[in-house]
Amino acid sequence: MRRYLLVLSSAAVVMALGIPAAQAGTGGEPTPAGVVSATPPSTLPHLPASTSKVEQVRQIVQCGSTMYAVGTFSSIRKGSTTYTRNNIFSFSAKSPYTVTSWAPDVVGTYGTTSNPSNTLNTIAFVGGNCADVYIGGHFSSVNGTAVQNMAEISTTTGNVVTSFKSKASGAVETMVGAGSHLLVGGRFTGINGDSTDPYMVSLSPTTGKSDGFLHLSVSGNYQFPGVSSNATHVYSQQISHSGKLDLVEGDFTSVGGQARQQAFILDVSGSSAKVTGWNAPELNTNCATVEPFYVQDGAWSPDDSTVYFGTTGYHPNGLPTGSYPRSGPCDAALAFPSTQSSVTALWTNYTGCDSLYAAAADAKAAYFGGHERWSMNPVGCDFEGAGAYTAPGIEGLDPANGALYLNSGGSAGYYSRDRGLGADYMMTTTAGLWIASDNLDHAQYCGGISTS
């Protein structure tokens, strides 16, 4: 069965102007058999290419034979049909990817300067139960029922399940099911009046109250000269394939009494969650003052032996823009051992000062997405340095060494997509690689295929 690149929306390519292109790079690799296709199906539901405000899909999950997507949007297109959908919708996981009639009315905002967030940031199921789903973000009601930033809703009616208490003091950024627990992270300092576990808490999926599974005392934020304001929060998390570990990213300096910056790994296999000994000192690096939190997504290798990160950050703080070759973990794709000890990067692939926001992996490739223009670009910053390759919006890398997989001509990356704000979420399923993104600059192309 052919595995596809599956894109809900993407954003238009922005080319560097006035900078001469370098020759095609020299360190890439031919793309091996078995990777996901470079072109998506043309029948996927997607955001309209043009809306009054930039709209975005933040996350996609699958439960049973149905895909569920959340973000900030007001309509979805499929073929010639436009569907009104307020920040959430579902569709068949198999071709022809039929949009369902499920249409909860989620009312929210884009957030504020002190509490930034899309309307919906995250969606999760627990324990394989597809009858109800948990959503988090910055919103105030679902189908007319008042809630605050989180809720459990029926996948049949879209109505709020009122037995699950739904009040978070700040935006919810991430939710995952871990066994019988709902692990929730965000910008909140309290859930349903309980401030015991700020920024990350384990909730009972039945009551919405803390089940006591984790007590991490997440605290701290990034402080260095000239740094822009950054608030403590947990931004994203990924459960390992074994279900025993949780990779977490965010803005913090201490977790479970241990010094951690940008990322940590939890052991969620026992009666209580514990911070493991995994630590990547390279992530203690301060990147640019305007991007102090830069490790915005992670992924596990299929055997859970490696973790991957896509980062923002521009370049290490204090280094001049023209300092080459690049060093540090800023604006790069990175791989680390998941060994529960202090580790160093297995490889680093630099974009040349463009951000990566999403990561995913399968047995054949590690995939990274954002609004990058190039890959393998350690001697360029906002231009294509010697040895770099054009790889707009997405790159597929060799998991063994981080080398870019190339097109048949060996002149550019195998994958490409319109850039826009950037691919914000990616995941792999048996169908292929799913990508959630936005419609900045009338976006509509991925792998040369129009989604509009």
Side-chain angles (χ1 to χ4, degrees):
M1 179 175 124
R2 190 178 191 191
R3 296 188 307 144
Y4 285 98
L5 186 74
L6 303 116
V7 185
L8 267 68
S9 64
S10 53
V13 177
V14 179
M15 301 303 293
L17 302 178
I19 299 172
Q23 293 182 343
T26 56
E29 296 180 358
T31 300
V35 299
V36 299
S37 168
T39 55
S42 60
T43 54
L44 286 167
H46 54 270
L47 299 178
S50 179
T51 50
S52 60
K53 292 182 178 181
V54 173
E55 298 190 338
Q56 185 175 34
V57 178
R58 283 297 317 276
Q59 189 177 9
I60 318 163
V61 296
Q62 181 173 358
C63 200
S65 60
T66 304
M67 306 298 298
Y68 297 82
V70 298
T72 302
F73 48 83
S74 57
S75 64
I76 295 297
R77 286 187 59 83
K78 187 178 188 302
S80 60
T81 304
T82 299
Y83 301 86
T84 298
R85 294 292 184 269
N86 290 325
N87 309 305
I88 188 169
F89 75 104
S90 65
F91 60 100
S92 171
K94 295 181 179 180
S95 181
Y97 310 107
T98 303
V99 176
T100 73
S101 60
W102 188 66
D105 181 21
V106 181
V107 177
T109 69
Y110 282 87
T112 64
T113 300
S114 61
N115 192 19
S117 177
N118 279 358
T119 301
L120 287 181
N121 296 315
T122 184
I123 180 168
F125 292 89
V126 178
N129 172 27
C130 296
D132 301 295
V133 66
Y134 302 87
I135 56 175
H138 191 264
F139 59 99
S140 56
S141 71
V142 180
N143 283 358
T145 298
V147 292
Q148 187 173 323
N149 300 330
M150 67 179 200
E152 177 185 4
I153 61 176
S154 165
T155 56
T156 301
T157 65
N159 291 335
V160 171
V161 178
T162 57
S163 58
F164 180 87
K165 302 305 179 185
S166 303
K167 186 176 182 180
S169 65
V172 171
E173 300 283 2
T174 176
M175 292 177 160
V176 297
S180 61
H181 312 282
L182 179 65
L183 306 186
V184 180
R187 298 173 182 273
F188 55 82
T189 54
I191 296 282
N192 295 316
D194 183 352
S195 58
T196 304
D197 298 303
Y199 312 116
M200 188 168 186
V201 65
S202 176
L203 301 180
S204 161
T206 302
T207 67
K209 297 181 179 180
S210 173
D211 60 13
F213 180 62
L214 63 77
H215 297 296
L216 299 180
S217 301
V218 177
S219 64
N221 63 346
Y222 304 128
Q223 298 292 328
F224 53 96
V227 67
S228 59
S229 176
N230 63 103
T232 307
H233 66 282
V234 169
Y235 185 75
S236 187
Q237 57 184 322
Q238 304 82 36
I239 295 292
S240 65
H241 298 281
S242 71
K244 296 180 179 180
L245 298 169
D246 186 22
L247 179 64
V248 185
E249 300 84 37
D251 193 321
F252 41 71
T253 57
S254 178
V255 183
Q258 300 187 49
R260 295 290 185 271
Q261 292 192 187
Q262 305 289 338
F264 62 91
I265 295 179
L266 284 178
D267 183 341
V268 294
S269 65
S271 58
S272 61
K274 305 291 185 184
V275 178
T276 71
W278 182 90
N279 188 28
E282 286 161 83
L283 302 184
N284 295 340
T285 301
N286 293 322
C287 290
T289 57
V290 294
E291 294 180 333
F293 165 51
Y294 55 84
V295 179
Q296 298 202 354
D297 197 34
W300 294 89
S301 64
D303 64 359
D304 292 338
S305 66
T306 305
V307 293
Y308 305 101
F309 296 111
T311 72
T312 65
Y314 197 43
H315 58 73
N317 183 51
L319 286 181
T321 301
S323 176
Y324 305 115
R326 286 277 166 217
S327 61
C330 316
D331 276 353
L334 303 100
F336 289 90
S338 63
T339 310
Q340 294 183 23
S341 61
S342 182
V343 298
T344 57
L346 299 168
W347 49 256
T348 304
N349 182 322
Y350 291 99
T351 63
C353 298
D354 285 337
S355 294
L356 298 174
Y357 301 117
D362 57 25
K364 293 289 186 177
Y367 306 96
F368 299 87
H371 61 224
E372 77 277 20
R373 289 163 284 186
W374 306 286
S375 181
M376 304 188 72
N377 195 20
V379 293
C381 184
D382 290 324
F383 66 91
E384 185 178 357
Y389 292 91
T390 298
I394 182 175
E395 58 186 3
L397 308 183
D398 185 334
N401 56 24
L404 178 70
Y405 289 148
L406 302 176
N407 61 15
S408 59
S411 60
Y414 181 65
Y415 301 102
S416 66
R417 53 169 293 279
D418 286 356
R419 294 173 58 221
L421 293 173
D424 198 57
Y425 181 81
M426 302 196 301
M427 73 170 186
T428 56
T429 69
T430 56
L433 175 67
W434 295 87
I435 305 171
S437 187
D438 59 89
N439 65 355
L440 179 69
D441 293 333
H442 299 231
Q444 54 185 306
Y445 285 96
C446 183
I449 299 295
S450 172
T451 59
S452 296

